[in-house]
Amino acid sequence: MKKIQISPSILSADFSQLGKEIKRLEDAGADMIHVDVMDGHFVPNLTIGPPVIKALRKYTSLKFDVHLMISPVHKYIKDFADAGADIITIHPEATENLGQSLKFIKTLKKKVGVSLNPNTKINSIENELENIDLILVMSVYPGFGGQKFIPEVLEKIELLKKIRDEKKYEYDIEVDGGINFENSKSVINAGANILVSGTTIFKENDGNIKKNIETLKEV
Ligand code: DX5
Ligand code: ZN
């Protein structure tokens, strides 16, 4: 049974003091930091790029779990690796050759992730499953925090766990979007071992992020 980890999304943090916010997350027991990179093209929103990640690197030794919602993505992978990303997760629709992009991330000695939108089928990436470290199941359509969890993805999580167990693969199953205290247990029971959350962690319990991280971890 993989350890349940929480990867808070800084998309819901105070962007005027991201360094301090990352320190706050580390002190509150976050297992890694989920960095949502958006280009206004792959998704209808724009956030941060490599220079900001580079500036944030010194604020924590926690892993940067970088979610690239950008296309084309291949030509930017090295910039994010050099800026300090530890896990680099890409969307299959954002690259001409998924296998090549994943191999390239590995040559940069970074953990490799693939993100599946709610309407993207597992069979579109099944040849890559044995080579990836993390599969990021989107439980919202990417682009914004604060959206409603799409319960149909629970089936996809269960199937990914079944495939992993049957084929003895190693990938982590991370779920991202609309995670809250009402659905976190069903997401974990379905097979997820990393939960991404922005709104719930920063907003619930008057912003008590330590309590919110601990509550999301409860099974
Ligand atoms: C959406 C991002 C998610 C989002 C999660 O495109 O990928 O990481 O920030 O935020 P909440 O937890 O607010 O849904
Ligand atoms: Zn994300």
Side-chain angles (χ1 to χ4, degrees):
M1 171 81 170
K2 285 179 175 260
K3 177 173 154 295
I4 304 301
Q5 299 183 72
I6 303 296
S7 185
S9 163
I10 56 170
L11 189 62
S12 305
D14 175 349
F15 264 48
S16 71
Q17 30 202 329
L18 276 179
K20 283 204 193 99
E21 293 280 78
I22 283 176
K23 197 82 203 73
R24 214 158 66 92
L25 287 168
E26 179 172 15
D27 296 346
D31 294 289
M32 57 184 90
I33 303 290
H34 188 82
V35 182
D36 282 314
V37 177
M38 301 180 186
D39 65 355
H41 172 239
F42 186 73
V43 291
N45 196 358
L46 257 172
T47 57
I48 60 172
V52 176
I53 292 176
K54 190 169 165 39
L56 294 173
R57 188 62 275 180
K58 60 179 173 296
Y59 283 89
T60 180
S61 54
L62 288 180
K63 290 207 177 329
F64 279 171
D65 167 31
V66 177
H67 177 192
L68 296 182
M69 291 164 272
I70 67 174
S71 73
V73 64
H74 193 87
K75 62 181 176 180
Y76 295 107
I77 289 172
K78 186 161 184 331
D79 294 345
F80 284 98
D82 293 347
D86 297 286
I87 303 169
I88 297 179
T89 297
I90 63 175
H91 285 254
E93 301 87 350
T95 173
E96 267 150 41
N97 185 323
L98 181 62
Q100 224 167 35
S101 296
L102 299 179
K103 266 199 201 88
F104 183 49
I105 295 170
K106 270 197 188 310
T107 62
L108 299 170
K109 307 264 181 284
K110 301 299 177 181
K111 291 278 183 207
V112 171
V114 175
S115 183
L116 296 180
N117 281 343
N119 60 343
T120 308
K121 298 247 175 297
I122 297 171
N123 59 22
S124 68
I125 62 154
E126 59 192 349
N127 309 342
E128 300 306 335
L129 287 176
E130 64 182 319
N131 312 317
I132 60 172
D133 302 299
L134 177 138
I135 186 134
L136 176 57
V137 178
M138 294 307 295
S139 36
V140 295
Y141 281 90
F144 299 91
Q147 299 180 78
K148 206 167 156 359
F149 178 82
I150 299 171
E152 285 73 12
V153 305
L154 287 169
E155 226 174 287
K156 189 185 278 186
I157 299 167
E158 284 163 355
L159 183 53
L160 282 164
K161 180 167 182 322
K162 186 166 170 291
I163 296 169
R164 183 183 67 195
D165 294 348
E166 279 169 3
K167 307 246 174 148
K168 306 231 177 318
Y169 293 156
E170 296 287 315
Y171 52 79
D172 285 319
I173 301 173
E174 183 176 45
V175 186
D176 181 0
I179 299 289
N180 58 33
F181 301 145
E182 286 68 47
N183 60 39
S184 56
K185 288 174 185 51
S186 35
V187 166
I188 293 168
N189 292 335
N193 66 293
I194 304 174
L195 304 186
V196 173
S197 166
T199 306
T200 297
I201 285 180
F202 282 96
K203 309 273 184 275
E204 290 295 331
N205 293 307
D206 297 327
N208 180 338
I209 51 178
K210 185 168 173 23
K211 182 177 166 75
N212 295 337
I213 288 173
E214 284 161 5
T215 309
L216 282 175
K217 268 188 179 173
E218 281 167 10
V219 281

